[in-house]
Each structure stands twice: as C-alpha cells, then as structure tokens.
Amino acid sequence: MTLDLATRKAAQPHFHTLLLESPFHERLAALDKTNDWYGWAGHKAPHALDDEELEYFAIRSTAAVFDISPMTKYRITGPGAVAFLDRLTVRNVAKLGINRVHYTAWCDDHGHVLDDGTLFRLGESEFRLCCQERHLPWLLDSAEGFAVDIREETGEVAGLALQGPTSYAILKEAGFAGVEALKPFQIGGFAHEGCTVTISRTGFTGDLGYELFVPRALALSLWDRLFEAGKFLGIRAIGYTALNRARIEAGFIVANADFMTAETALRGNRLRLPDEIGLDWMIDLEKPNFNGRRAIMAARAGKTLKHILVGMEIDGNVPPEHALVYHNKRREVGIVTAAIWSPLAKRNIAIASLERPYGERIQDGLWVEIYALRELQYQKLMKRARIVPRPFVTLARRSANPPGLF
Amino acid sequence: MTSFDTIIIGAGHNGVVAAGFLAKSGRKVLVLEAADTAGGGARTVEFAPGFRASGLAHVVNRLHPQVMSSLKLDRTLFEGEAVPTLALDAQRGPAVLHGGYGETLEGVSETEAGAFAAMRKKLLLQAGVLKSFLTRKPPRPGDIGLGDALQLGLTGLSLLRHGRQEARDFARMLLMNVADIADEYLTDDRLKGLIAFDATLGIHLGPRSPTSLLGLFYRLTGEVLGQAGGQYLPKGGMGTLARALETAAIAAGARLRFSSPVAQILTEKGSAIGVVLKNGEELRATEVVSAIHPVTTLQTFLPAGEIDTGLSRSLRHIRSKGNVAKLHLALDRVPVFTGVSLKDQRGRLVIAPSVDHVENAFNPAKYGAFSADPVMEITLPSMGDLSLAPPGACVLSALVQYAPYDLKEGWENGKPRFLETILSTIERYAPDIRSSIVAAELLVPPDIEARYRLPGGHWHHGELQADQLLINRPTFALSGYETPVEGLYLCSAGSHPGGGLSGVPGMNAARHIIAASKARSRR
Ligand SMILES: Cc1cc2nc3c(=O)[nH]c(=O)nc-3n(C[C@H](O)[C@H](O)[C@H](O)COP(=O)(O)OP(=O)(O)OC[C@H]3O[C@@H](n4cnc5c(N)ncnc54)[C@H](O)[C@@H]3O)c2cc1C
C-alpha cells in the first residue's frame, strides 16, 4: 500500500510543529525584537527578546521573567513516593520537608549522572521533579515494587521564573499575600483566578527570586498579573543568554553544557559520576540503596574518579569559553565548560572540567589557552587560572528573611 | 535468633553441593528448603500408590567428577547402572548407542557407524575444549586477571595442539545448528533425529535454529564415572543421588532445615545480613547463598530498590520459560517396545525419528501451541530397580517436548489433549501400552513451576543459549556468582555453566566465595 504525501503528513502530526510553543508564547512573541529563538526540549524559547545586557541587568537590578515551561516536569504521587525517590535520586528525600524544594541528581547503575534537577515536595507523598532531559521509561522501570504513580506533566503546567531584587516587591504588589513568609527553597500555594499558583522561593540566578507554576490555561493571566504589578518595578522578560550569565555567577551547572548526561553522551569517557561534576555533597550513603550507590562507593574506594569540576578565575577580561586548560602551560588537563566576564564580580570567571589530580591534589600552575578571534585573526592568549570556590557571587538578598522590598 | 556464617536458600542439588563445600571450609552452614526433602529437581516421588519415579530429572549424565571426589561420594553407589541410548524407529527397529554417547553402535550400517564415530570424535574433542570452562568463573572483560588470561591462552593452545584444521573447525562449528551437522556427517534419520533431540532438549530451539549445536556440546561436556557422554539411572531414583549429596553435606557439618520456605532476604546498607522465612522467622548470616532461580532471588526476595534499575531491567529480559513436560505412567506390566530387547529397555529410549520430526515438533511451540507429534525420551526405571514399582508392574518416566509454558489455549484445556497426543505417540512404539496404564501424571511447565518452585519450569533456570551463557549468565552484571548486594551469592542452575545434575554451579560458587573471603582477610 502506498500513501500519498498528504495522507502521510496528516498521519504524523508531530512533524507539523517542529518546535512547540510555550503557554506564554503569545506574550513572548509580542515583546520579541530579536527573533532569536532556539529549541529547548522541543519548545521554542528565546535566546534574547531584546538587548542581552538589559536583560542581564534586569536580573541583577530589577526583576526578570524567564519562561521555564519547557522544563521537563514529572508528577510523582503515592504512598511509596518517598521511598521511590530515595531509590531514584542520590539525596535523602526523607529529609526534604513538605513544601520544600531541593536540588538533586540521579544516576544509572554505573553511577553515571543521568540528569540533575529540582525536586518539589508538594505534600506528604506528592512531588514534582523538574529536569532537562526526558526520563519516563527510566522512572517507570525504577518504580517497580513501589506504590507510586508517575506522570509527565510538562505540557500541562506553565512555569515562570521571576528573579531579581524587586521580585518580591512585584509579588506583593500583585497581591500574593503571605509570600513574604517563603524562605529560600520553600513552597506556598496562592490564589489565582479561582485556582492555585504554586510559588517557590527558588531560581537559577543566585538572586532573590521565585518560581511560579500554574495550570496551562492560566498562563497568560498569570503573566499579565505579574507584568501589571511590575510596571513600575522594572519587570522585563528575558531570554536564555542573560539567564546563563547569572547562573554562571551563581556557580550552577547545566546538563549537557557543563557535563554530558549519561544517555546523551556517545563517548564512554564523557560519562560522569556525581563526584566528577561537583555533586558529591548530595550523596547520602546512609539511606537505603539508590541507583549508582555501589558504583560511586567503588569509585571512591578504588580511587578511580577521573574528573573534577571546578570554579576558576582567569586573568584578563576575555572569557575563555571552551578553552583548553593546561598545567604549566604544557600539559593539557581539561576544558572550560562555561565562562563569562562577570559584571557583578568584575572578574573573568569560568567553570571547568579537569582531569584529576589536577584541580584536586594539584591546584596551582593552571593556565587557559584562549583563541580570541579578532576580525578574522586569532589572538592566542595564555592566561593564568586560579581555582576558586563556587558560587562566584553571593548575594545577601537571595536568602534574606523577610525578603527585601527593593 | 540463631546466627550462621552462611545461609543457603534451597536444597536443590546445587544448594546441597555448595553447602558441602562451604561447610568443609569451616563455615557454619544452614540450608533452608521449602519442600520436605532435599534434591529439588532431583527427588524421588511416589506418583501413584506403589509407583515411584524421579520427580523431574531422571537421567544422570553430567555429575561433575570434582563434585564426586571433593564430597567423597561413593562411586559404587552408581556403578553398574550405565545404560544405552536407543533411537527408536517403529518400522526399522532402534539404533542403539552403547558406552559414552555411542562408543559402539548397534543396528546401523557399518558405513553409518563409521560416519557417526567420526562425528562423535569431532564433537567430543570440541566439547573437551569447552569443558575447561565449566569449572571456571567466566572471565569478565575489564577485570581479566593474569590467571584468567593464562587459562584462556591454554584453551587456545590445547585446541591448536590438535592442528590448525581442528581449530578452524571449532570456530566454524561452535555456533552452527545441529541439523546441518547431522547432514554433514550422517545419513541415518534415527541418529540424526537423536542428536537433533539431544541438542534441543530443555532449550527453546529447534534443530534448525542457529546455535542449536551448543546444546549438544553442553551435553557432551558432561561425563559420569569417567565416561564422557555416559549416563546412568541411579537405583532408587534421583532421590538416591540427592540423599548421597545431603549425607556428604551433613558429614561436612552443614545443617538442613526442611519445610522452611524463604520469603525475603534481609539487607542492611547494601549487604545481605540474613533471611526471613515465610512464617516470619528471621535468621542471620554473614553470607547468603541463593540456590534458587536468580530472578526470584533478586526481584522477589530483595527489598524494592535494592538492586539498580539497569540490572532489574536486564533481569526482566532473561528468558526462562520451560518447554519440557514430565510424564509418569504407572503400568501394570512391563511394556514391549517394538524391536527393543528387554535388556535395552533399561536404557534411554528416544522418540525423535528424524530431524524434521524434531523441527516440526518445535514449530507450534513458537506460537504457543504444543507439538502435535511430540518428541521425547523415555526411561523405565523400574526395569533396573524393582523397588520402584509393585511386583510385575512398571514405571515409565518420560521427558516430552515441546510443551510451551504459555500455552495459548491454556493448560487446563490443553493438558488432557496433550496427554492423549503423547500416549498415542508412545503407542506407535509400544502398541499394547495403553491397556496397561494404571495411573498417569503429566506435569507441564506451569505444574513444574508450582511443584518444584522453579520459575517458568525451566530446565536450566534460564535459557541456555548463546546470549545467556558464560559472562552473560544469568546476565552480565551477575556472571561471577556475586550480586551487587554484598554477601549475597547465586549458585543455582541459572548461574554459569547452567543446568542439569552437575553440581558445578554450586561447587564453583562455593569455591569463589571461599577464595574471595580469603582474599578479603589477606587485605
Ligand atoms: C522436566 C525436567 C526434566 C529434567 N531432566 C533432567 C535430567 O534427566 N537430567 C539432568 O541432569 N537434568 C534434568 N533436568 C534439569 C535439572 O533438573 C535442573 O537443572 C536441576 O534440578 C537444577 O538444580 P538446582 O539445584 O540448581 O535447582 P532446583 O533443582 O530447582 O532446586 C532448587 C531448590 O530450591 C527450593 N526452593 C525454591 N524456592 C525456595 C524458597 N523460597 N525457599 C526455600 N527453598 C526454595 C526448591 O524447592 C528446590 O528444592 C530436568 C529439568 C526439568 C524441568
């Protein structure tokens, strides 16, 4: 049987829309001046809507709105939810209080990180897991023997990050009474259009900020409510470029940018254990078995950890994006995964993946080789790099209680 | 609450062998068995008043000499019981194989006997090379030690010693199908049918399925009483063998507890610390050795989440659905098989008149139906051991193939029809048999699963095929008898090298456990 093209196309609707539009697309498109879109997990998302610098400074000086709807979201419920999530992820979920959020990661049997993400505890046995990649088969297979229900809700839930010094002031102005009580990583439910908006004091910027989730149908009204309230408080919609700068300053890592996730990596030596990407602090070896526990313990005991993720400060003002890292200018020991000139720290900062013992036992004598393309000519710079702790920037307002009214 | 060094789950022959070896090493060993006797698939059962037979396994053809010698089993117990194999043909009469897999033949032309001898020599030579893998822990890529490398090298050398041609033939034949080898060497359909049957018995393959020759190699790696390819029926049925092993284990200091089904394995921070019985009783030990199906051990007995998701996925893909049915007939007189001497009726009688017969028997099994013209091996154990049946009466024990675990029509419906099919097949070879039947018992794989607590009712506790062998038995992450749970080991037929009454998984696992703990205490 041969089908004509039109019939075949009609039978494959997912090809018609290569990139889905976010629930906020109408508003984003109206503000967009650059027409600089990219694909984020199958959704159309802006690199920038307007001037990147203005968008970055909105995060740091007023308030920025970043659409996080494309983020993959799973709803995990049932009496076995805590035990299941404890088996899935490396952190101790029993220690995560109700209405609290924690940053976590999960691994395969070999201890290789499958993804990192945030886990929202919405109730005694109700959770939302947010992450970059899609993991439904892995989650379902891991749920064998646990009384849980797992559902992907990416498309049903719209999410916005409201970040920056005036973010609290905007929420207050928008009438979210009681939002001042939210401490960092705390979640609250607030009324919106006869429904509930879930607000958590979380974010990816290291600044004072909140994340808001509503059912898809309420997306635009939530947007309008925030923008109305923020009219005189410097609210601005932003794209990923500005957010990326803020997250580097905050020292946060991004899956498939600072490390390759285990199911994305094609090359065996790109796989990473949590200890190799700076997530060792999360791991709880005291709780019952979790995926990768034995492999992590074996790697620690056998001293077979190969890589390490570090924060670096680089001389000069040219960000060494994806530059090679050298020891004593000769021996190649790693790569810079993210780098910017930090407007806030007024320093040239970078996140780098190094091969142990460099970055671990050997911390000195590191250099980065920067190829700066200047009007069709490379300028080769060898700059000194110093290992520094992350975050590169710590803002008191991020964790101040009650939040500041800027 | 008593505490032991080692708890062994299951007193099948592998569990008991492991118990013997581990007790000999000075450990305080307790074996927990669900049934009221030891032996597992190697038990003697009374299936009708006054009629006893070996419950599942009815022929011994691979009990390992090192098991015999290390546990000091009394050889004389089994000597004199070696029996021939008869490839039956209702018209022409049988081809009879005497000695170890037909050292001498009877009832075939001289030319054919020569051809069979050449094939037998070739196969035994190749099986001899493979044999060295039986008692070794399969080497794993990534952690091949010097010893492993040396052994692998020696295996290669031992092959080359016989000349390049042999090495080439080995490489050529290893993954072939048995039907092509039959055609290559033989012309007599009885012999061809016999090797086709022997290669596929207990495995979900037909003789023309790729790699089906492996099953014959596996059989020929077996030896008994110093005879490669030999076989015997123990007096008193398989229970005699089980009792001999049990006595050896007890003599070594092991304890056995019956009617004590294990329900759970206890763990603490990733280590096994004991078991919980079905009645709730808790027993502690520093080592737990599971001599039951690997999938049950890890999927059912461990707390949820104790093994990682990747491993649990791969366990789900282990194929372990049996194909063999067990038939017991109580006969009021000794049956007469056409053309078979009374003396030869003590032997293994195989109904598999041609390769096509075996292949045709397999075809429906692929689609969830039983064979319309099944193939089988029959023994009449009471002929050599009068104690098994009332005076003048006779016991018939048969392994019948193919009886797929998941019968589409359901076994409740299918079983009476299958029994009738089997009986009318046997009737073609022993025409008067039906009128002598006093009682009949047919166990199809789900029955075997329930009665013997053998998941899938599978001969080998998991298909014995190329992808589930050696380092992939039962699955890659578990191939060295160890599990991710520290102190929990596997030693049933589901582990390397596989099933049949050999005692090898039990012995290998015990040796590995002993060596590993010595290495640990040296550190
Ligand atoms: C129909 C059939 C015919 C066969 N014929 C032959 C043959 O002729 N020759 C031959 O060599 N091989 C034969 N086999 C293969 C042979 O029987 C098996 O490979 C062998 O029995 C495996 O031995 P084992 O000790 O590993 O396990 P099993 O014999 O299966 O023993 C496992 C033991 O564990 C016990 N157990 C299970 N669950 C629990 C629990 N929860 N708690 C405590 N105890 C438990 C069981 O009761 C059993 O005693 C045959 C197999 C089948 C299915």
Side-chain angles (χ1 to χ4, degrees):
Chain A
M1 189 179 63
T2 48
L3 292 173
D4 63 280
L5 191 62
T7 318
R8 268 162 46 204
K9 270 189 158 170
Q12 298 172 336
H14 60 291
F15 280 124
H16 296 195
T17 318
L18 289 182
L19 286 178
L20 301 171
E21 289 177 352
S22 134
F24 298 107
H25 185 75
E26 222 181 298
R27 297 292 182 271
L28 291 168
L31 294 170
D32 177 43
K33 290 186 181 154
T34 58
N35 210 15
D36 184 8
W37 304 92
Y38 72 106
W40 175 10
H43 295 78
K44 201 168 170 181
H47 270 132
L49 296 161
D50 196 339
D51 183 76
E52 278 170 24
E53 297 296 323
L54 292 178
E55 291 185 4
Y56 165 80
F57 280 105
I59 302 174
R60 294 301 184 212
S61 311
T62 54
V65 173
F66 181 71
D67 175 14
I68 53 174
S69 308
M71 205 164 49
T72 307
K73 297 177 276 296
Y74 296 102
R75 178 66 67 123
I76 296 157
T77 51
V82 173
F84 161 70
L85 286 162
D86 256 338
R87 169 281 153 77
L88 179 78
T89 64
V90 301
R91 274 186 96 167
N92 192 328
V93 180
K95 288 187 185 163
L96 176 64
I98 295 174
N99 286 325
R100 301 280 305 166
V101 182
H102 73 198
Y103 171 50
T104 187
W106 51 104
C107 304
D108 64 14
D109 292 32
H110 310 289
H112 296 137
V113 177
L114 287 164
D115 211 344
D116 62 350
T118 42
L119 183 64
F120 292 67
R121 186 165 192 177
L122 304 171
E124 173 61 34
S125 33
E126 185 166 0
F127 293 85
R128 171 179 291 146
L129 184 64
C130 298
C131 51
Q132 281 296 328
E133 304 282 313
R134 284 190 153 70
H135 298 283
L136 196 58
W138 181 259
L139 298 187
L140 291 176
D141 286 352
S142 302
E144 205 176 302
F146 295 94
V148 283
D149 182 61
I150 300 166
R151 208 162 49 77
E152 174 162 357
E153 57 175 13
T154 306
E156 300 159 28
V157 177
L160 285 179
L162 174 67
Q163 303 279 308
T166 64
S167 54
Y168 162 63
I170 292 172
L171 291 180
K172 186 175 151 70
E173 178 66 26
F176 291 111
V179 84
E180 69 281 356
L182 292 182
K183 302 213 168 86
F185 297 108
Q186 197 179 340
I187 306 170
F190 299 86
H192 178 69
E193 305 270 316
C195 231
T196 303
V197 48
T198 303
I199 303 183
S200 56
R201 190 164 162 193
T202 49
F204 209 49
T205 58
D207 217 305
L208 172 61
Y210 300 84
E211 288 171 323
L212 297 81
F213 294 95
V214 282
R216 187 184 180 101
L218 298 182
L220 296 182
S221 64
L222 176 69
W223 178 284
D224 294 342
R225 183 168 169 186
L226 294 180
F227 275 78
E228 179 58 32
K231 212 162 29 177
F232 304 113
L233 289 162
I235 196 168
R236 176 186 277 274
I238 65 162
Y240 183 69
T241 310
L243 181 80
N244 191 43
R245 290 165 73 176
R247 74 91 186 173
I248 295 172
E249 290 182 321
F252 295 134
I253 57 172
V254 171
N256 295 323
D258 297 287
F259 71 98
M260 296 302 296
T261 58
E263 281 183 345
T264 313
L266 299 175
R267 298 163 179 83
N269 62 358
R270 307 299 201 273
L271 303 164
R272 292 292 182 270
L273 292 147
D275 297 39
E276 295 179 312
I277 53 171
L279 303 183
D280 34 342
W281 59 272
M282 289 182 176
I283 295 166
D284 186 343
L285 295 176
E286 300 304 310
K287 69 172 185 171
N289 186 56
F290 57 88
N291 283 330
R293 177 180 186 271
R294 296 184 174 93
I296 292 166
M297 283 178 42
R300 287 180 178 179
K303 301 209 180 344
T304 57
L305 294 163
K306 286 199 180 63
H307 301 91
I308 191 166
L309 200 90
V310 296
M312 295 196 310
E313 228 176 86
I314 318 289
D315 282 357
N317 62 4
V318 185
E321 236 188 321
H322 294 139
L324 291 174
V325 183
Y326 289 88
H327 183 249
N328 288 342
K329 300 191 184 178
R330 272 201 321 276
R331 189 192 170 90
E332 196 183 311
V333 298
I335 187 169
V336 170
T337 58
I340 53 156
W341 166 258
S342 163
L344 211 58
K346 305 277 186 292
R347 285 179 290 148
N348 206 12
I349 59 173
I351 298 172
S353 171
L354 304 184
E355 277 166 43
R356 295 174 192 235
Y358 301 97
E360 182 195 26
R361 212 156 30 73
I362 305 174
Q363 301 240 347
D364 294 330
L366 298 177
W367 298 78
V368 295
E369 187 177 42
I370 308 170
Y371 284 76
L373 191 59
R374 299 279 181 262
E375 300 186 329
L376 290 186
Q377 200 167 315
Y378 273 119
Q379 218 174 318
K380 204 169 121 184
L381 310 168
M382 191 60 105
K383 293 288 182 188
R384 185 176 282 282
R386 266 176 310 279
I387 292 181
V388 296
R390 286 177 294 148
F392 300 97
V393 166
T394 308
L395 296 166
R397 63 179 179 250
R398 173 186 187 229
S399 41
N401 287 309
L405 250 189
F406 295 97
Chain B
M1 197 173 64
T2 346
S3 183
F4 295 86
D5 296 321
T6 310
I7 286 176
I8 296 179
I9 307 173
H13 83 290
N14 277 314
V16 177
V17 166
F21 276 82
L22 289 168
K24 264 177 51 181
S25 77
R27 286 168 166 76
K28 200 170 151 196
V29 177
L30 174 68
V31 188
L32 296 168
E33 167 59 48
D36 56 8
T37 51
R43 277 180 235 167
T44 301
V45 296
E46 187 171 52
F47 66 94
F51 291 87
R52 293 185 302 138
S54 299
L56 282 185
H58 65 180
V59 175
V60 180
N61 59 22
R62 58 183 314 113
L63 187 63
H64 201 275
Q66 290 174 21
V67 172
M68 296 279 290
S69 60
S70 299
L71 296 181
K72 301 198 175 59
L73 294 197
D74 183 4
R75 273 177 70 112
T76 60
L77 205 56
F78 309 114
E79 265 160 12
E81 312 295 333
V83 295
T85 292
L86 285 84
L88 300 186
D89 184 309
Q91 276 71 49
R92 297 167 63 196
V96 188
L97 284 71
H98 294 287
Y101 214 71
E103 254 171 291
T104 56
L105 294 187
E106 214 184 298
V108 302
S109 75
E110 214 166 299
T111 339
E112 187 67 4
F116 185 86
M119 180 193 76
R120 177 180 178 276
K121 186 171 165 222
K122 174 79 70 182
L123 293 177
L124 280 176
L125 175 99
Q126 298 179 343
V129 174
L130 295 171
K131 207 178 217 173
S132 66
F133 285 101
L134 292 180
T135 51
R136 258 187 277 142
K137 188 182 136 189
R140 292 167 61 87
D143 48 34
I144 294 187
L146 192 61
D148 294 325
L150 208 64
Q151 275 303 329
L152 282 175
L154 287 176
T155 306
L157 276 181
S158 78
L159 195 56
L160 281 173
R161 234 189 20 238
H162 298 284
R164 284 190 185 281
Q165 182 56 40
E166 288 300 350
R168 269 204 298 275
D169 260 354
F170 183 72
R172 179 178 71 91
M173 290 167 67
L174 190 61
L175 297 178
M176 272 179 75
N177 73 66
V178 66
D180 285 344
I181 289 301
D183 287 342
E184 200 170 310
Y185 283 92
L186 307 172
T187 52
D188 191 316
D189 274 341
R190 293 168 302 173
L191 295 176
K192 287 184 176 189
L194 172 70
I195 67 167
F197 176 81
D198 282 349
T200 53
L201 181 62
I203 302 174
H204 185 75
L205 288 179
R208 292 204 173 84
S209 312
T211 74
S212 63
L213 188 62
L214 280 176
L216 190 57
F217 279 133
Y218 186 69
R219 172 180 282 262
L220 295 178
T221 58
E223 61 177 278
V224 288
L225 306 173
Q227 199 174 46
Q231 61 191 1
Y232 62 82
L233 313 183
K235 276 217 169 63
M238 264 335 143
T240 305
L241 173 63
R243 226 166 10 260
L245 292 170
E246 183 186 349
T247 308
I250 291 171
R255 273 183 55 190
L256 287 89
R257 255 181 75 176
F258 298 106
S259 308
S260 307
V262 170
Q264 230 182 303
I265 294 169
L266 286 171
T267 59
E268 201 174 86
K269 282 194 202 153
S271 295
I273 55 163
V275 300
V276 186
L277 300 184
K278 209 170 163 202
N279 67 12
E281 187 183 346
E282 258 185 54
L283 293 152
R284 298 274 170 147
T286 42
E287 289 164 356
V288 176
V289 183
S290 173
I292 66 167
H293 201 289
V295 177
T296 314
T297 307
L298 296 167
Q299 295 282 60
T300 314
F301 287 177
L302 285 175
E306 191 59 56
I307 54 165
D308 290 352
T309 303
L311 174 57
S312 124
R313 273 180 176 172
S314 72
L315 289 175
R316 237 181 301 155
H317 297 134
I318 290 178
R319 303 189 308 291
S320 188
K321 286 181 177 165
N323 246 332
V324 185
K326 182 76 198 285
L327 173 72
H328 297 137
L329 293 181
L331 306 172
D332 64 10
R333 57 179 186 271
V334 173
V336 179
F337 280 80
T338 314
V340 179
S341 73
L342 215 53
K343 184 164 155 281
D344 282 347
Q345 283 197 172
R346 287 176 172 219
R348 181 169 74 104
L349 313 179
V350 175
I351 299 181
S354 69
V355 171
D356 278 355
H357 260 91
V358 184
E359 189 70 26
N360 282 328
F362 176 58
N363 286 338
K366 292 186 277 194
Y367 310 106
F370 59 73
S371 310
D373 190 1
V375 289
M376 67 190 85
E377 91 177 13
I378 297 169
T379 61
L380 304 165
S382 59
M383 308 246 350
D385 177 3
L386 298 177
S387 76
L388 295 174
C394 186
V395 169
L396 180 148
S397 160
L399 304 183
V400 189
Q401 183 149 283
Y402 294 81
Y405 177 86
D406 286 318
L407 193 74
K408 232 194 217 145
E409 62 175 295
W411 276 113
E412 202 172 326
N413 250 337
K415 207 159 114 171
R417 297 205 307 116
F418 192 45
L419 178 60
E420 179 48 39
T421 307
I422 298 168
L423 292 180
S424 50
T425 304
I426 298 177
E427 255 180 329
R428 296 210 298 269
Y429 298 83
D432 291 332
I433 199 164
R434 200 182 282 259
S435 62
S436 68
I437 299 174
V438 181
E441 177 183 60
L442 178 64
L443 303 178
V444 291
D447 302 326
I448 294 171
E449 173 177 77
R451 186 180 293 186
Y452 290 90
R453 294 172 193 260
L454 182 52
H458 199 284
W459 185 294
H460 295 278
H461 292 200
E463 271 296 314
L464 196 78
Q465 290 190 33
D467 61 316
Q468 293 189 175
L469 280 184
L470 295 164
I471 53 167
N472 291 314
R473 186 160 192 86
T475 183
F476 182 75
L478 302 171
S479 64
Y481 306 104
E482 294 198 13
T483 69
V485 179
E486 207 171 312
L488 175 64
Y489 302 90
L490 301 173
C491 83
S492 87
S495 285
H496 173 73
L501 303 177
S502 68
V504 177
M507 171 177 75
N508 286 1
R511 285 177 171 167
H512 171 73
I513 294 166
I514 294 165
S517 73
K518 276 195 187 137
R520 261 199 307 278
S521 63
R522 266 201 304 275
R523 266 198 305 231

